[in-house]
Amino acid sequence: ISTIADMVPLVKENRALAHYGLKVLRKTKRPGLLHIFNEQRVKKEFLTEDDIAFTIAPRVNAASRMGDPIQAHKMLYEKDRDQAEAYARDLEDLNTQRKSEVKDILSTISFDHAVYQNPVIVVGDRSWGPGILGLIAQNIIDETGKPVFVWGEGDEGEKGGEGNKIILKGSCRSRGDVSVVDLMAHVGKVATGGLFENYGGHEGAGGFSVTLENVDKLSSSLCEALNHVEKKEIGLQKVEVDATITIDDINDTIYRALEVLAPFGVGNPKPVFEIQNIEALATKWFGKKGEHFEVVYTTTTGGRVKAIQFFASKDLEQKVSKPHTPLVHFEKSYFAGKVELRLRIVDVR
């Protein structure tokens, strides 16, 4: 679970751990996990790395983001069914709370505000809990592409240093063109005349602490620091196509061949296929809020093949209304007990 959830490269020893770990998880008798699988309609015997990444990991992570990490440990380790299910329900509540808080905070953000015009974006509020700051930062960088530093205090806030000053915690993100660690190093720590109480991380993500007294100086200092650190040129994120196929190639024989390459993840990405110049038979939006999109294609023998994209952008419907080239992954769905080979849309040309 941790190998996949923490997005380490799935090669060599990590690949072996994930491969055989999935085999063991497909036979698990741990009642906490079984409860999550049942509630989320995950078929245990067909468990995939996607089920870990999108079903188990967010609930385990919610414990440390919104509560206490020991809550996730108890869910995984508890053998008594009633108690384990209670722990699993607690994690579900925390995960729901986490999604709600992030959504509420993002809904208050206006990206045309002056602060978002700065080359380095610094935002925060003392009511924002430290556990969700990284998620907020990632949403902002997805929207703006600029280095982002987000701070918050949480319920109590730490105190320390001279005069028992209030210490704020923060999380930062970069898309890779600038190292957030280099930015923080240039601003420096209080001990050496800088602003940060502490900081750490790697090129694309990090964490920091700063006093309430110094947080207002952070924006101008980081924007100035940007003039003194190395910048890399990064182009548009391109989707690399592995092969061109036809709609008739969507079959179990090819799917079984692809399964041998799994588990997929960092260092071993899912193969991407393109189906050139095809027309859709039908389309529809689905989900509780109509946020997901489905396209239906026909094979030359009259069969039907579905392709879906979760949380699709509204322009996808327009793109597939005329002949187009979808870029797709193969996948097999076992949702609600129905086995279905389908495509996951990565992009559309």
Coordinates of all heavy atoms in Angstrom, one line a residue, residues 202-261:
H202 N 12.2 18.9 -1.4 CA 13.0 18.6 -2.7 C 12.6 19.6 -3.7 O 11.8 20.6 -3.4 CB 12.8 17.2 -3.1 CG 11.4 16.8 -3.3 ND1 10.7 17.1 -4.4 CD2 10.6 16.1 -2.5 CE1 9.5 16.6 -4.3 NE2 9.4 16.0 -3.2
E203 N 13.0 19.4 -4.9 CA 12.9 20.5 -6.0 C 11.4 20.9 -6.2 O 11.1 22.0 -6.3 CB 13.4 19.9 -7.3 CG 13.5 20.9 -8.4 CD 14.2 20.4 -9.6 OE1 13.5 19.7 -10.4 OE2 15.4 20.7 -9.8
G204 N 10.5 19.9 -6.2 CA 9.1 20.2 -6.5 C 8.2 20.4 -5.4 O 7.1 20.9 -5.6
A205 N 8.6 20.0 -4.2 CA 7.7 20.2 -3.0 C 8.4 20.3 -1.7 O 9.5 19.7 -1.6 CB 6.7 19.0 -3.0
G206 N 7.9 21.0 -0.8 CA 8.6 21.1 0.5 C 7.6 21.6 1.6 O 6.4 21.8 1.4
G207 N 8.2 21.8 2.8 CA 7.5 22.3 3.9 C 8.3 23.4 4.6 O 9.5 23.4 4.5
F208 N 7.6 24.2 5.4 CA 8.4 25.3 6.1 C 7.6 25.7 7.3 O 6.4 25.4 7.5 CB 8.6 26.5 5.1 CG 7.3 27.1 4.6 CD1 6.7 28.2 5.4 CD2 6.7 26.7 3.5 CE1 5.5 28.8 4.9 CE2 5.6 27.3 3.0 CZ 5.0 28.3 3.7
S209 N 8.3 26.4 8.2 CA 7.6 27.1 9.3 C 8.1 28.5 9.4 O 9.3 28.8 9.0 CB 7.9 26.4 10.6 OG 9.3 26.3 10.9
V210 N 7.2 29.4 9.8 CA 7.5 30.8 9.8 C 6.7 31.5 11.0 O 5.6 31.0 11.3 CB 7.2 31.5 8.5 CG1 5.7 31.4 8.1 CG2 7.6 33.0 8.4
T211 N 7.2 32.5 11.6 CA 6.4 33.1 12.7 C 5.3 34.0 12.1 O 5.4 34.5 10.9 CB 7.3 34.0 13.6 OG1 7.9 35.1 12.8 CG2 8.4 33.2 14.2
L212 N 4.3 34.2 12.8 CA 3.2 35.1 12.4 C 3.8 36.5 12.1 O 3.3 37.2 11.2 CB 2.2 35.2 13.5 CG 0.9 36.1 13.2 CD1 0.2 35.6 12.0 CD2 0.0 36.1 14.5
E213 N 4.8 36.9 12.9 CA 5.4 38.2 12.7 C 6.1 38.3 11.3 O 6.1 39.4 10.7 CB 6.4 38.4 13.8 CG 7.2 39.8 13.7 CD 8.3 39.9 14.8 OE1 8.7 38.8 15.3 OE2 8.6 41.0 15.1
N214 N 6.7 37.3 10.8 CA 7.4 37.3 9.6 C 6.6 36.9 8.3 O 7.1 37.1 7.2 CB 8.6 36.4 9.7 CG 9.8 37.0 10.5 OD1 9.8 38.2 10.6 ND2 10.6 36.2 11.1
V215 N 5.4 36.4 8.5 CA 4.7 35.8 7.3 C 4.4 36.9 6.3 O 4.4 36.6 5.1 CB 3.5 35.0 7.8 CG1 2.4 36.0 8.2 CG2 3.0 34.1 6.7
D216 N 4.1 38.1 6.7 CA 3.8 39.2 5.8 C 5.0 39.6 4.9 O 4.8 40.2 3.8 CB 3.2 40.4 6.5 CG 1.8 40.2 7.1 OD1 1.2 39.2 6.6 OD2 1.4 40.9 8.0
K217 N 6.2 39.2 5.3 CA 7.4 39.6 4.6 C 7.7 38.5 3.5 O 8.6 38.7 2.7 CB 8.6 39.8 5.5 CG 8.3 40.8 6.6 CD 9.5 40.7 7.6 CE 9.1 41.6 8.9 NZ 10.2 41.4 9.9
L218 N 7.0 37.4 3.7 CA 7.4 36.2 2.9 C 7.2 36.4 1.4 O 8.1 36.0 0.6 CB 6.6 35.0 3.3 CG 7.3 33.6 3.2 CD1 8.6 33.6 3.9 CD2 6.3 32.6 3.9
S219 N 6.1 37.0 1.0 CA 5.8 37.2 -0.4 C 6.9 38.0 -1.2 O 7.5 37.6 -2.2 CB 4.5 37.9 -0.6 OG 4.2 38.0 -2.0
S220 N 7.3 39.2 -0.6 CA 8.2 40.0 -1.3 C 9.6 39.3 -1.3 O 10.4 39.4 -2.3 CB 8.3 41.4 -0.6 OG 8.7 41.2 0.8
S221 N 10.0 38.6 -0.2 CA 11.3 38.0 -0.1 C 11.4 36.8 -1.1 O 12.4 36.6 -1.7 CB 11.5 37.5 1.3 OG 11.5 38.5 2.2
L222 N 10.3 36.0 -1.3 CA 10.4 34.9 -2.2 C 10.4 35.4 -3.7 O 11.0 34.8 -4.5 CB 9.2 34.0 -2.0 CG 9.3 33.1 -0.7 CD1 8.0 32.4 -0.3 CD2 10.4 32.0 -0.9
C223 N 9.6 36.5 -3.9 CA 9.6 37.0 -5.3 C 11.0 37.6 -5.6 O 11.5 37.4 -6.8 CB 8.6 38.1 -5.4 SG 6.9 37.6 -5.4
E224 N 11.7 38.2 -4.6 CA 13.0 38.7 -4.9 C 14.0 37.5 -5.0 O 14.9 37.5 -5.9 CB 13.5 39.5 -3.7 CG 14.9 39.9 -3.6 CD 15.4 40.8 -4.8 OE1 14.5 41.4 -5.5 OE2 16.6 40.8 -5.1
A225 N 13.8 36.4 -4.3 CA 14.7 35.2 -4.4 C 14.6 34.6 -5.7 O 15.6 34.0 -6.2 CB 14.3 34.2 -3.3
L226 N 13.4 34.7 -6.4 CA 13.3 34.1 -7.7 C 14.3 34.7 -8.7 O 14.6 34.0 -9.7 CB 11.8 34.3 -8.2 CG 11.4 33.6 -9.5 CD1 11.4 32.1 -9.2 CD2 10.0 34.0 -9.9
N227 N 14.7 35.9 -8.5 CA 15.7 36.5 -9.4 C 17.1 36.0 -9.2 O 18.0 36.3 -10.0 CB 15.7 38.0 -9.1 CG 14.4 38.7 -9.4 OD1 13.8 38.4 -10.4 ND2 14.0 39.6 -8.6
H228 N 17.3 35.2 -8.2 CA 18.6 34.7 -7.9 C 18.8 33.2 -7.9 O 19.9 32.7 -7.6 CB 19.0 35.2 -6.5 CG 19.0 36.7 -6.4 ND1 20.0 37.6 -6.8 CD2 18.0 37.5 -5.9 CE1 19.6 38.8 -6.6 NE2 18.4 38.8 -6.0
V229 N 17.8 32.5 -8.3 CA 17.9 31.0 -8.4 C 17.8 30.5 -9.8 O 17.3 31.2 -10.7 CB 16.8 30.3 -7.5 CG1 16.9 30.7 -6.1 CG2 15.4 30.6 -8.1
E230 N 18.3 29.3 -10.0 CA 18.3 28.7 -11.3 C 16.9 28.4 -11.8 O 16.1 27.9 -11.1 CB 19.1 27.4 -11.3 CG 19.2 26.7 -12.7 CD 19.9 25.4 -12.7 OE1 20.3 25.0 -11.5 OE2 20.1 24.8 -13.7
K231 N 16.6 28.7 -13.1 CA 15.3 28.4 -13.7 C 15.5 27.5 -14.9 O 16.5 27.7 -15.6 CB 14.6 29.7 -14.1 CG 14.4 30.7 -13.0 CD 13.8 32.0 -13.6 CE 13.8 33.1 -12.5 NZ 15.1 33.5 -12.1
K232 N 14.7 26.5 -14.9 CA 14.7 25.5 -16.0 C 13.6 25.8 -17.0 O 12.5 26.2 -16.6 CB 14.7 24.1 -15.5 CG 15.8 23.7 -14.5 CD 15.5 22.3 -14.0 CE 16.6 22.0 -12.9 NZ 16.3 20.6 -12.4
E233 N 13.9 25.5 -18.3 CA 12.9 25.6 -19.3 C 12.1 24.3 -19.3 O 12.7 23.2 -19.4 CB 13.5 25.8 -20.7 CG 14.0 27.2 -20.9 CD 12.9 28.3 -20.9 OE1 11.8 27.9 -21.3 OE2 13.2 29.5 -20.6
I234 N 10.8 24.4 -19.1 CA 10.0 23.1 -19.2 C 8.9 23.4 -20.2 O 8.2 24.5 -20.2 CB 9.4 22.7 -17.9 CG1 8.5 23.8 -17.3 CG2 10.4 22.3 -16.9 CD1 7.8 23.3 -16.0
G235 N 8.7 22.5 -21.2 CA 7.7 22.7 -22.2 C 6.4 22.2 -21.8 O 6.1 21.9 -20.6
L236 N 5.5 22.2 -22.7 CA 4.1 21.6 -22.4 C 4.3 20.2 -22.1 O 5.1 19.5 -22.6 CB 3.2 21.8 -23.6 CG 2.9 23.2 -24.0 CD1 2.1 23.2 -25.4 CD2 2.0 23.9 -23.0
Q237 N 3.5 19.7 -21.2 CA 3.5 18.3 -20.8 C 2.9 17.5 -21.9 O 1.7 17.5 -22.2 CB 2.7 18.1 -19.5 CG 3.3 18.8 -18.3 CD 4.7 18.2 -18.0 OE1 4.9 17.0 -17.9 NE2 5.6 19.1 -17.9
K238 N 3.7 16.7 -22.6 CA 3.2 16.0 -23.8 C 2.9 14.5 -23.4 O 3.5 13.9 -22.5 CB 4.3 15.9 -24.9 CG 4.7 17.3 -25.4 CD 5.7 17.2 -26.5 CE 6.0 18.6 -27.1 NZ 7.1 18.5 -28.1
V239 N 1.8 14.0 -24.0 CA 1.4 12.6 -23.8 C 2.2 11.8 -24.9 O 2.1 12.0 -26.1 CB -0.1 12.5 -24.0 CG1 -0.5 11.0 -23.9 CG2 -0.8 13.3 -23.0
E240 N 2.9 10.9 -24.4 CA 3.7 10.0 -25.3 C 2.9 8.8 -25.7 O 2.5 8.0 -24.8 CB 5.0 9.5 -24.6 CG 6.0 8.9 -25.5 CD 7.3 8.7 -24.9 OE1 7.8 9.5 -24.1 OE2 7.9 7.6 -25.1
V241 N 2.6 8.6 -27.0 CA 1.8 7.5 -27.5 C 2.7 6.3 -27.7 O 3.7 6.4 -28.4 CB 1.1 7.9 -28.8 CG1 0.4 6.8 -29.4 CG2 0.1 9.1 -28.5
D242 N 2.3 5.2 -27.2 CA 3.1 3.9 -27.3 C 2.7 3.2 -28.6 O 3.6 2.5 -29.2 CB 2.8 3.0 -26.1 CG 3.4 3.6 -24.8 OD1 4.6 3.6 -24.7 OD2 2.6 4.1 -24.0
A243 N 1.5 3.3 -29.1 CA 1.1 2.6 -30.3 C -0.2 3.1 -30.8 O -1.0 3.6 -30.1 CB 1.0 1.1 -30.0
T244 N -0.4 2.9 -32.1 CA -1.6 3.2 -32.8 C -2.4 1.9 -33.0 O -1.9 0.9 -33.4 CB -1.4 3.9 -34.2 OG1 -0.7 5.1 -34.0 CG2 -2.7 4.2 -34.8
I245 N -3.7 1.9 -32.6 CA -4.5 0.7 -32.7 C -5.8 1.1 -33.3 O -6.1 2.3 -33.6 CB -4.8 0.1 -31.3 CG1 -5.5 1.1 -30.4 CG2 -3.5 -0.4 -30.6 CD1 -6.0 0.6 -29.1
T246 N -6.7 0.1 -33.6 CA -8.0 0.4 -34.1 C -9.0 0.0 -33.0 O -8.7 -0.7 -32.0 CB -8.3 -0.5 -35.4 OG1 -8.4 -1.9 -35.0 CG2 -7.2 -0.3 -36.4
I247 N -10.2 0.4 -33.2 CA -11.3 0.1 -32.2 C -11.5 -1.4 -32.1 O -11.9 -1.9 -31.0 CB -12.6 0.8 -32.6 CG1 -13.5 0.9 -31.3 CG2 -13.3 0.2 -33.8 CD1 -13.0 1.7 -30.2
D248 N -11.2 -2.2 -33.1 CA -11.3 -3.6 -33.1 C -10.2 -4.3 -32.2 O -10.4 -5.5 -31.8 CB -11.3 -4.2 -34.5 CG -12.4 -3.8 -35.3 OD1 -13.5 -3.6 -34.8 OD2 -12.3 -3.6 -36.5
D249 N -9.2 -3.6 -31.9 CA -8.1 -4.1 -31.0 C -8.5 -4.1 -29.5 O -7.7 -4.6 -28.7 CB -6.8 -3.3 -31.2 CG -6.2 -3.6 -32.6 OD1 -6.3 -4.7 -33.1 OD2 -5.7 -2.6 -33.2
I250 N -9.6 -3.5 -29.2 CA -10.0 -3.5 -27.8 C -10.7 -4.8 -27.5 O -11.9 -5.1 -27.6 CB -11.1 -2.3 -27.5 CG1 -10.6 -1.0 -28.2 CG2 -11.3 -2.2 -26.0 CD1 -9.2 -0.6 -27.7
N251 N -9.8 -5.7 -27.0 CA -10.3 -7.1 -26.7 C -9.5 -7.7 -25.5 O -8.5 -7.2 -25.1 CB -10.2 -8.0 -28.0 CG -8.8 -8.0 -28.5 OD1 -7.8 -8.4 -27.8 ND2 -8.6 -7.6 -29.8
D252 N -10.0 -8.8 -25.0 CA -9.4 -9.4 -23.9 C -8.0 -10.0 -24.1 O -7.2 -10.0 -23.2 CB -10.3 -10.6 -23.3 CG -11.4 -10.0 -22.5 OD1 -11.1 -9.3 -21.5 OD2 -12.6 -10.4 -22.7
T253 N -7.7 -10.4 -25.3 CA -6.4 -10.9 -25.6 C -5.3 -9.8 -25.4 O -4.3 -10.1 -24.8 CB -6.3 -11.4 -27.1 OG1 -7.3 -12.4 -27.3 CG2 -5.0 -12.0 -27.4
I254 N -5.6 -8.6 -26.0 CA -4.6 -7.6 -25.8 C -4.6 -7.1 -24.3 O -3.5 -6.8 -23.8 CB -4.9 -6.4 -26.7 CG1 -4.6 -6.8 -28.2 CG2 -4.1 -5.2 -26.4 CD1 -4.7 -5.7 -29.2
Y255 N -5.7 -7.1 -23.7 CA -5.8 -6.6 -22.3 C -4.9 -7.6 -21.4 O -4.2 -7.1 -20.5 CB -7.2 -6.6 -21.8 CG -7.3 -6.2 -20.3 CD1 -7.1 -4.9 -19.9 CD2 -7.5 -7.1 -19.3 CE1 -7.2 -4.5 -18.6 CE2 -7.5 -6.8 -18.0 CZ -7.4 -5.4 -17.6 OH -7.4 -5.1 -16.3
R256 N -5.0 -8.9 -21.6 CA -4.3 -9.8 -20.8 C -2.8 -9.7 -21.1 O -2.0 -9.8 -20.2 CB -4.7 -11.3 -21.2 CG -6.0 -11.6 -20.5 CD -6.3 -13.2 -20.6 NE -6.3 -13.6 -22.0 CZ -7.5 -13.7 -22.7 NH1 -8.6 -13.3 -22.1 NH2 -7.5 -14.2 -23.9
A257 N -2.4 -9.3 -22.3 CA -1.0 -9.1 -22.6 C -0.5 -7.8 -21.9 O 0.6 -7.8 -21.3 CB -0.8 -8.9 -24.1
L258 N -1.3 -6.8 -21.8 CA -1.0 -5.6 -21.0 C -0.9 -5.8 -19.5 O -0.1 -5.2 -18.9 CB -2.0 -4.5 -21.3 CG -2.0 -3.9 -22.8 CD1 -3.1 -3.0 -23.0 CD2 -0.7 -3.3 -23.1
E259 N -1.7 -6.7 -19.0 CA -1.7 -7.0 -17.6 C -0.4 -7.5 -17.1 O 0.0 -7.3 -15.9 CB -2.8 -8.1 -17.3 CG -4.2 -7.5 -17.0 CD -5.1 -8.6 -16.4 OE1 -5.2 -9.7 -17.1 OE2 -5.7 -8.4 -15.4
V260 N 0.4 -8.1 -18.0 CA 1.7 -8.7 -17.6 C 2.6 -7.5 -17.2 O 3.5 -7.7 -16.4 CB 2.3 -9.5 -18.8 CG1 3.7 -10.0 -18.4 CG2 1.4 -10.7 -19.1
L261 N 2.4 -6.3 -17.8 CA 3.3 -5.2 -17.5 C 2.9 -4.5 -16.2 O 3.7 -3.6 -15.7 CB 3.2 -4.2 -18.7 CG 3.4 -4.7 -20.1 CD1 3.2 -3.6 -21.1 CD2 4.9 -5.2 -20.2

